[in-house]
Amino acid sequence: MLILPIKRKWFCMILSGEKKEEYREIKPYWISRILKWLGYPKSEGKAVMQMLKEQGTLKQREVLFRNGYSSESPSFTAMCTLKIGGGYEEWGAVKGEKYSVFKIHEVHQNMQERSKRNEQ
């Protein structure tokens, strides 16, 4: 599963339903993780990036959003599709920049709350 650490502001906006996309810079670090998440070898990177620019993914995939880097940090999962494109400034994008855009379709229950309930 792909893990996206995010700042508290964006974390809360996604949970409230106000923010519908999360952005990542197009850099080798994120490209390699995205390729693995989508199930492609690194050798297919250029072709996959072109596909993401032209149409994006059609199938929704699960992403773990974590407010911080610790496995104990608050988190939730969401079903997302991915494309390459611009984003909204009010959601953290810089005008004119291209990003890996994770469109959030459905937010699932907080993972930590679920595990605490299972412990009781």
Side-chain angles (χ1 to χ4, degrees):
M1 179 183 316
L2 183 65
I3 299 172
L4 297 180
I6 59 175
K7 293 181 180 179
R8 183 93 178 142
K9 175 182 178 180
W10 308 131
F11 185 88
C12 292
M13 286 176 73
I14 292 170
L15 282 178
S16 74
E18 182 180 348
K19 186 175 187 218
K20 307 280 187 197
E21 296 178 347
E22 178 60 20
Y23 310 116
R24 287 295 178 268
E25 293 180 330
I26 301 172
K27 294 194 172 190
Y29 177 87
W30 285 112
I31 292 170
S32 67
R33 279 148 187 80
I34 288 168
L35 289 171
K36 184 176 180 182
W37 177 63
L38 294 173
Y40 290 99
K42 288 182 182 181
S43 61
E44 296 290 323
K46 286 184 181 181
V48 172
M49 294 303 286
Q50 187 61 38
M51 179 270 298
L52 292 174
K53 287 176 187 173
E54 292 173 5
Q55 71 178 32
T57 60
L58 303 176
K59 179 181 174 187
Q60 295 178 21
R61 296 174 191 271
E62 194 170 42
V63 175
L64 176 70
F65 290 87
R66 185 180 287 155
N67 178 222
Y69 291 91
S70 166
S71 61
E72 300 298 317
S73 297
S75 62
F76 63 87
T77 60
M79 297 305 290
C80 301
T81 51
L82 176 65
K83 67 175 184 171
I84 301 293
Y88 297 101
E89 291 179 63
E90 62 269 24
W91 291 347
V94 174
K95 188 176 183 177
E97 293 288 319
K98 296 290 183 193
Y99 297 94
S100 295
V101 179
F102 292 86
K103 182 171 175 61
I104 301 162
H105 297 277
E106 180 181 348
V107 175
H108 296 157
Q109 183 180 356
N110 183 301
M111 298 295 286
Q112 285 186 332
E113 287 177 15
R114 191 181 316 158
S115 63
K116 284 179 188 174
R117 239 183 261 131
N118 291 340
E119 291 172 3
Q120 296 175 347

